[in-house]
Amino acid sequence: MALLLLLLSGGNQALFLQLHHAGAVLPAPLWRLLSMLGEWSLVIAALLLLAQRHPQLLPSLVAAVLLGIGSAILLKAAFAVPRPFLVLPAGSVQLLDVLPANGAFPSGHAMASALLAGVLAQGRRWWWQAGLMALVLLVCWSRIAIGVHWPLDVLVGAALGWVIARVCVRWQWPAWPRTWTPQLLRGLGLVLLLYSGWKLWRSPPNEAYVLFNLLASLAALQLQRPMKNGA
């Protein structure tokens, strides 16, 4: 709460500059690779592969993704916060990736990575959860180092993603027809494959875009295989 009050009281820009310039210790490609861990298509691919192994989780994971993406779109449109590169004086921000056209608040990458971490943390030991949160913090820092998000953006995005994951996975759904799962996973996998292929066809701007779309495509192909339990 104290950190949130600090950011809202005017420390958002100052903290951004400190974290952004501290990011110079690592090369730009590494920040872009860390950032891709929060790409929705790659996160969705990971969640669908998890559902392939645990079919009973599919409705919870679909609900979590829809709620996460929907809330991110609505909040970005409602607040329309300009990104640091567009606000701060010229030369103070080194843009390391493509500048998104939508608003900065909240960070969709932080939300997606925290949502995935929140799902994977269910029932795990504290050290496993701590490791997942450390990865989320690195994704958050990557968005600041790249120059496209304020600290408040990533803080709120990560908190929302974590809460959405915990709520959706613990929600008691009605009996889920197991016979629906294979067909739905294949259908979602086909959509993911077409989307990732389209992104690759559009000449991705850097290595991170190529890698995460290739990984998403491979995951989509895996979803076309029959489930081992014969469901």
Short mmCIF file of all heavy atoms in Angstrom, two decimals, residues 90-134:
data_model
loop_
_atom_site.label_atom_id
_atom_site.label_comp_id
_atom_site.label_asym_id
_atom_site.label_seq_id
_atom_site.Cartn_x
_atom_site.Cartn_y
_atom_site.Cartn_z
N ALA A 90 12.75 13.82 -24.72
CA ALA A 90 13.47 13.06 -25.73
C ALA A 90 14.87 12.71 -25.24
O ALA A 90 15.58 13.54 -24.69
CB ALA A 90 13.55 13.85 -27.03
N GLY A 91 15.24 11.46 -25.44
CA GLY A 91 16.56 11.00 -25.03
C GLY A 91 16.61 10.38 -23.65
O GLY A 91 17.58 9.71 -23.30
N SER A 92 15.55 10.55 -22.86
CA SER A 92 15.55 10.00 -21.50
C SER A 92 15.08 8.55 -21.47
O SER A 92 15.28 7.85 -20.49
CB SER A 92 14.68 10.84 -20.57
OG SER A 92 13.34 10.86 -21.02
N VAL A 93 14.43 8.10 -22.56
CA VAL A 93 13.93 6.73 -22.64
C VAL A 93 14.49 6.07 -23.89
O VAL A 93 14.35 6.61 -24.99
CB VAL A 93 12.39 6.70 -22.68
CG1 VAL A 93 11.91 5.25 -22.78
CG2 VAL A 93 11.80 7.36 -21.46
N GLN A 94 15.13 4.92 -23.70
CA GLN A 94 15.63 4.15 -24.84
C GLN A 94 14.62 3.05 -25.15
O GLN A 94 14.48 2.09 -24.39
CB GLN A 94 16.99 3.54 -24.53
CG GLN A 94 17.60 2.81 -25.73
CD GLN A 94 18.95 2.21 -25.41
OE1 GLN A 94 19.38 2.18 -24.25
NE2 GLN A 94 19.62 1.68 -26.43
N LEU A 95 13.92 3.19 -26.24
CA LEU A 95 12.89 2.22 -26.63
C LEU A 95 13.57 1.00 -27.24
O LEU A 95 14.26 1.11 -28.26
CB LEU A 95 11.93 2.86 -27.63
CG LEU A 95 10.68 2.06 -27.98
CD1 LEU A 95 9.79 1.87 -26.76
CD2 LEU A 95 9.89 2.77 -29.08
N LEU A 96 13.36 -0.17 -26.62
CA LEU A 96 14.04 -1.39 -27.05
C LEU A 96 13.15 -2.35 -27.83
O LEU A 96 13.60 -3.44 -28.20
CB LEU A 96 14.60 -2.12 -25.82
CG LEU A 96 15.53 -1.32 -24.91
CD1 LEU A 96 16.03 -2.18 -23.76
CD2 LEU A 96 16.70 -0.74 -25.70
N ASP A 97 11.91 -1.98 -28.04
CA ASP A 97 10.98 -2.86 -28.75
C ASP A 97 9.96 -1.98 -29.47
O ASP A 97 10.00 -0.75 -29.37
CB ASP A 97 10.28 -3.80 -27.76
CG ASP A 97 9.75 -5.07 -28.43
OD1 ASP A 97 9.65 -5.08 -29.66
OD2 ASP A 97 9.43 -6.03 -27.71
N VAL A 98 9.03 -2.63 -30.15
CA VAL A 98 7.97 -1.90 -30.84
C VAL A 98 7.09 -1.20 -29.80
O VAL A 98 6.74 -1.77 -28.77
CB VAL A 98 7.12 -2.86 -31.68
CG1 VAL A 98 5.96 -2.13 -32.34
CG2 VAL A 98 7.99 -3.53 -32.73
N LEU A 99 6.74 0.05 -30.07
CA LEU A 99 5.89 0.82 -29.16
C LEU A 99 4.43 0.45 -29.39
O LEU A 99 3.88 0.70 -30.46
CB LEU A 99 6.09 2.32 -29.37
CG LEU A 99 5.31 3.24 -28.42
CD1 LEU A 99 5.83 3.08 -27.00
CD2 LEU A 99 5.42 4.69 -28.88
N PRO A 100 3.76 -0.16 -28.41
CA PRO A 100 2.34 -0.52 -28.58
C PRO A 100 1.48 0.73 -28.78
O PRO A 100 1.79 1.80 -28.26
CB PRO A 100 1.99 -1.23 -27.27
CG PRO A 100 3.30 -1.69 -26.72
CD PRO A 100 4.28 -0.64 -27.12
N ALA A 101 0.38 0.56 -29.49
CA ALA A 101 -0.48 1.70 -29.81
C ALA A 101 -1.53 1.96 -28.74
O ALA A 101 -2.13 3.04 -28.73
CB ALA A 101 -1.17 1.47 -31.15
N ASN A 102 -1.76 1.00 -27.85
CA ASN A 102 -2.80 1.19 -26.84
C ASN A 102 -2.23 1.84 -25.57
O ASN A 102 -1.05 2.18 -25.50
CB ASN A 102 -3.47 -0.14 -26.50
CG ASN A 102 -2.48 -1.21 -26.09
OD1 ASN A 102 -1.28 -0.96 -25.99
ND2 ASN A 102 -2.98 -2.41 -25.84
N GLY A 103 -3.08 1.99 -24.55
CA GLY A 103 -2.67 2.63 -23.32
C GLY A 103 -1.72 1.77 -22.51
O GLY A 103 -1.61 0.55 -22.70
N ALA A 104 -1.05 2.41 -21.55
CA ALA A 104 -0.04 1.73 -20.77
C ALA A 104 -0.60 1.01 -19.55
O ALA A 104 -0.03 0.01 -19.10
CB ALA A 104 1.03 2.72 -20.32
N PHE A 105 -1.69 1.49 -19.00
CA PHE A 105 -2.21 0.96 -17.73
C PHE A 105 -3.44 0.09 -17.94
O PHE A 105 -4.40 0.54 -18.58
CB PHE A 105 -2.57 2.12 -16.80
CG PHE A 105 -3.14 1.68 -15.48
CD1 PHE A 105 -2.29 1.40 -14.42
CD2 PHE A 105 -4.50 1.54 -15.29
CE1 PHE A 105 -2.81 0.99 -13.19
CE2 PHE A 105 -5.03 1.13 -14.08
CZ PHE A 105 -4.17 0.85 -13.03
N PRO A 106 -3.39 -1.14 -17.40
CA PRO A 106 -2.27 -1.84 -16.75
C PRO A 106 -1.43 -2.59 -17.77
O PRO A 106 -1.79 -2.65 -18.94
CB PRO A 106 -3.00 -2.81 -15.82
CG PRO A 106 -4.24 -3.17 -16.59
CD PRO A 106 -4.64 -1.91 -17.34
N SER A 107 -0.34 -3.17 -17.33
CA SER A 107 0.52 -3.93 -18.23
C SER A 107 -0.09 -5.29 -18.52
O SER A 107 -0.29 -6.10 -17.62
CB SER A 107 1.91 -4.11 -17.60
OG SER A 107 2.65 -5.08 -18.31
N GLY A 108 -0.36 -5.55 -19.80
CA GLY A 108 -0.89 -6.84 -20.19
C GLY A 108 0.13 -7.96 -20.02
O GLY A 108 -0.22 -9.08 -19.67
N HIS A 109 1.41 -7.65 -20.25
CA HIS A 109 2.46 -8.65 -20.07
C HIS A 109 2.60 -9.05 -18.61
O HIS A 109 2.73 -10.24 -18.30
CB HIS A 109 3.80 -8.11 -20.59
CG HIS A 109 3.92 -8.13 -22.08
ND1 HIS A 109 3.23 -7.27 -22.89
CD2 HIS A 109 4.68 -8.90 -22.91
CE1 HIS A 109 3.54 -7.50 -24.16
NE2 HIS A 109 4.42 -8.50 -24.19
N ALA A 110 2.56 -8.06 -17.73
CA ALA A 110 2.63 -8.37 -16.30
C ALA A 110 1.43 -9.20 -15.87
O ALA A 110 1.55 -10.15 -15.09
CB ALA A 110 2.71 -7.07 -15.49
N MET A 111 0.26 -8.84 -16.39
CA MET A 111 -0.95 -9.57 -16.04
C MET A 111 -0.89 -11.01 -16.54
O MET A 111 -1.21 -11.95 -15.80
CB MET A 111 -2.17 -8.87 -16.62
CG MET A 111 -3.49 -9.50 -16.22
SD MET A 111 -4.94 -8.71 -16.99
CE MET A 111 -4.86 -7.09 -16.23
N ALA A 112 -0.48 -11.20 -17.78
CA ALA A 112 -0.44 -12.55 -18.36
C ALA A 112 0.57 -13.44 -17.63
O ALA A 112 0.29 -14.60 -17.32
CB ALA A 112 -0.10 -12.47 -19.84
N SER A 113 1.76 -12.91 -17.36
CA SER A 113 2.78 -13.71 -16.68
C SER A 113 2.35 -14.05 -15.25
O SER A 113 2.57 -15.17 -14.78
CB SER A 113 4.12 -12.98 -16.67
OG SER A 113 4.03 -11.74 -15.97
N ALA A 114 1.72 -13.10 -14.55
CA ALA A 114 1.27 -13.36 -13.19
C ALA A 114 0.10 -14.34 -13.18
O ALA A 114 -0.04 -15.15 -12.25
CB ALA A 114 0.87 -12.05 -12.50
N LEU A 115 -0.75 -14.27 -14.20
CA LEU A 115 -1.86 -15.22 -14.30
C LEU A 115 -1.33 -16.63 -14.47
O LEU A 115 -1.79 -17.57 -13.79
CB LEU A 115 -2.76 -14.83 -15.47
CG LEU A 115 -4.11 -15.54 -15.60
CD1 LEU A 115 -5.13 -14.63 -16.29
CD2 LEU A 115 -3.98 -16.84 -16.39
N LEU A 116 -0.36 -16.81 -15.35
CA LEU A 116 0.24 -18.13 -15.53
C LEU A 116 0.92 -18.60 -14.25
O LEU A 116 0.77 -19.76 -13.84
CB LEU A 116 1.25 -18.08 -16.69
CG LEU A 116 2.02 -19.38 -16.97
CD1 LEU A 116 1.07 -20.52 -17.30
CD2 LEU A 116 3.03 -19.17 -18.08
N ALA A 117 1.65 -17.69 -13.60
CA ALA A 117 2.32 -18.05 -12.35
C ALA A 117 1.31 -18.42 -11.27
O ALA A 117 1.52 -19.36 -10.50
CB ALA A 117 3.20 -16.88 -11.87
N GLY A 118 0.20 -17.68 -11.22
CA GLY A 118 -0.82 -17.97 -10.23
C GLY A 118 -1.44 -19.34 -10.42
O GLY A 118 -1.76 -20.04 -9.45
N VAL A 119 -1.61 -19.74 -11.69
CA VAL A 119 -2.15 -21.07 -11.97
C VAL A 119 -1.14 -22.15 -11.57
O VAL A 119 -1.48 -23.14 -10.90
CB VAL A 119 -2.51 -21.20 -13.46
CG1 VAL A 119 -2.84 -22.65 -13.81
CG2 VAL A 119 -3.68 -20.30 -13.81
N LEU A 120 0.12 -21.96 -11.96
CA LEU A 120 1.15 -22.97 -11.67
C LEU A 120 1.49 -23.05 -10.19
O LEU A 120 2.03 -24.07 -9.73
CB LEU A 120 2.42 -22.66 -12.48
CG LEU A 120 2.28 -22.72 -14.00
CD1 LEU A 120 3.59 -22.33 -14.67
CD2 LEU A 120 1.84 -24.11 -14.45
N ALA A 121 1.20 -21.98 -9.44
CA ALA A 121 1.53 -21.95 -8.01
C ALA A 121 0.54 -22.69 -7.14
O ALA A 121 0.80 -22.94 -5.96
CB ALA A 121 1.63 -20.49 -7.54
N GLN A 122 -0.60 -23.07 -7.70
CA GLN A 122 -1.65 -23.73 -6.91
C GLN A 122 -1.13 -25.03 -6.30
O GLN A 122 -0.66 -25.92 -7.01
CB GLN A 122 -2.87 -24.02 -7.79
CG GLN A 122 -3.53 -22.81 -8.39
CD GLN A 122 -4.31 -22.01 -7.35
OE1 GLN A 122 -4.74 -22.54 -6.34
NE2 GLN A 122 -4.50 -20.74 -7.62
N GLY A 123 -1.18 -25.11 -4.97
CA GLY A 123 -0.79 -26.32 -4.28
C GLY A 123 0.71 -26.56 -4.20
O GLY A 123 1.15 -27.63 -3.75
N ARG A 124 1.51 -25.59 -4.60
CA ARG A 124 2.96 -25.75 -4.58
C ARG A 124 3.55 -25.26 -3.26
O ARG A 124 2.93 -24.49 -2.53
CB ARG A 124 3.59 -24.96 -5.74
CG ARG A 124 3.12 -25.40 -7.11
CD ARG A 124 3.72 -26.73 -7.51
NE ARG A 124 3.40 -27.09 -8.89
CZ ARG A 124 3.92 -28.12 -9.54
NH1 ARG A 124 4.79 -28.90 -8.94
NH2 ARG A 124 3.57 -28.39 -10.79
N ARG A 125 4.78 -25.65 -2.99
CA ARG A 125 5.48 -25.19 -1.80
C ARG A 125 5.86 -23.72 -1.95
O ARG A 125 5.90 -23.19 -3.06
CB ARG A 125 6.73 -26.04 -1.55
CG ARG A 125 6.42 -27.50 -1.21
CD ARG A 125 7.70 -28.26 -0.96
NE ARG A 125 7.43 -29.66 -0.65
CZ ARG A 125 7.21 -30.12 0.57
NH1 ARG A 125 7.23 -29.28 1.61
NH2 ARG A 125 6.98 -31.41 0.78
N TRP A 126 6.20 -23.09 -0.82
CA TRP A 126 6.46 -21.64 -0.82
C TRP A 126 7.63 -21.28 -1.72
O TRP A 126 7.61 -20.23 -2.38
CB TRP A 126 6.71 -21.17 0.61
CG TRP A 126 8.01 -21.67 1.20
CD1 TRP A 126 8.20 -22.78 1.96
CD2 TRP A 126 9.30 -21.05 1.05
NE1 TRP A 126 9.52 -22.93 2.29
CE2 TRP A 126 10.22 -21.87 1.76
CE3 TRP A 126 9.76 -19.91 0.40
CZ2 TRP A 126 11.58 -21.57 1.82
CZ3 TRP A 126 11.12 -19.62 0.46
CH2 TRP A 126 12.01 -20.43 1.17
N TRP A 127 8.66 -22.14 -1.75
CA TRP A 127 9.83 -21.80 -2.56
C TRP A 127 9.51 -21.86 -4.05
O TRP A 127 10.09 -21.13 -4.86
CB TRP A 127 11.01 -22.71 -2.22
CG TRP A 127 10.71 -24.18 -2.22
CD1 TRP A 127 10.34 -24.96 -1.17
CD2 TRP A 127 10.76 -25.06 -3.37
NE1 TRP A 127 10.14 -26.27 -1.57
CE2 TRP A 127 10.40 -26.35 -2.90
CE3 TRP A 127 11.08 -24.87 -4.71
CZ2 TRP A 127 10.33 -27.45 -3.76
CZ3 TRP A 127 11.01 -25.96 -5.56
CH2 TRP A 127 10.65 -27.23 -5.08
N TRP A 128 8.58 -22.75 -4.44
CA TRP A 128 8.15 -22.82 -5.84
C TRP A 128 7.37 -21.55 -6.20
O TRP A 128 7.58 -20.96 -7.26
CB TRP A 128 7.29 -24.06 -6.03
CG TRP A 128 6.76 -24.25 -7.43
CD1 TRP A 128 5.56 -23.82 -7.90
CD2 TRP A 128 7.40 -24.90 -8.53
NE1 TRP A 128 5.39 -24.15 -9.22
CE2 TRP A 128 6.51 -24.84 -9.63
CE3 TRP A 128 8.62 -25.55 -8.68
CZ2 TRP A 128 6.82 -25.37 -10.87
CZ3 TRP A 128 8.92 -26.09 -9.93
CH2 TRP A 128 8.03 -26.00 -11.00
N GLN A 129 6.49 -21.14 -5.30
CA GLN A 129 5.72 -19.92 -5.53
C GLN A 129 6.64 -18.70 -5.58
O GLN A 129 6.44 -17.80 -6.39
CB GLN A 129 4.67 -19.75 -4.44
CG GLN A 129 3.62 -20.85 -4.42
CD GLN A 129 2.48 -20.55 -3.48
OE1 GLN A 129 2.14 -19.39 -3.26
NE2 GLN A 129 1.87 -21.59 -2.93
N ALA A 130 7.65 -18.67 -4.72
CA ALA A 130 8.60 -17.56 -4.71
C ALA A 130 9.37 -17.49 -6.03
O ALA A 130 9.62 -16.40 -6.57
CB ALA A 130 9.56 -17.69 -3.53
N GLY A 131 9.74 -18.65 -6.56
CA GLY A 131 10.45 -18.66 -7.84
C GLY A 131 9.58 -18.16 -8.98
O GLY A 131 10.05 -17.40 -9.85
N LEU A 132 8.31 -18.54 -8.97
CA LEU A 132 7.39 -18.06 -10.00
C LEU A 132 7.21 -16.55 -9.90
O LEU A 132 7.20 -15.85 -10.92
CB LEU A 132 6.03 -18.76 -9.85
CG LEU A 132 6.00 -20.25 -10.23
CD1 LEU A 132 4.68 -20.88 -9.83
CD2 LEU A 132 6.24 -20.42 -11.74
N MET A 133 7.08 -16.04 -8.68
CA MET A 133 6.92 -14.60 -8.51
C MET A 133 8.18 -13.84 -8.93
O MET A 133 8.10 -12.72 -9.43
CB MET A 133 6.55 -14.27 -7.07
CG MET A 133 5.12 -14.64 -6.70
SD MET A 133 3.89 -13.99 -7.88
CE MET A 133 4.19 -12.23 -7.77
N ALA A 134 9.35 -14.46 -8.72
CA ALA A 134 10.60 -13.83 -9.16
C ALA A 134 10.61 -13.69 -10.68
O ALA A 134 11.05 -12.66 -11.23
CB ALA A 134 11.80 -14.65 -8.69
#
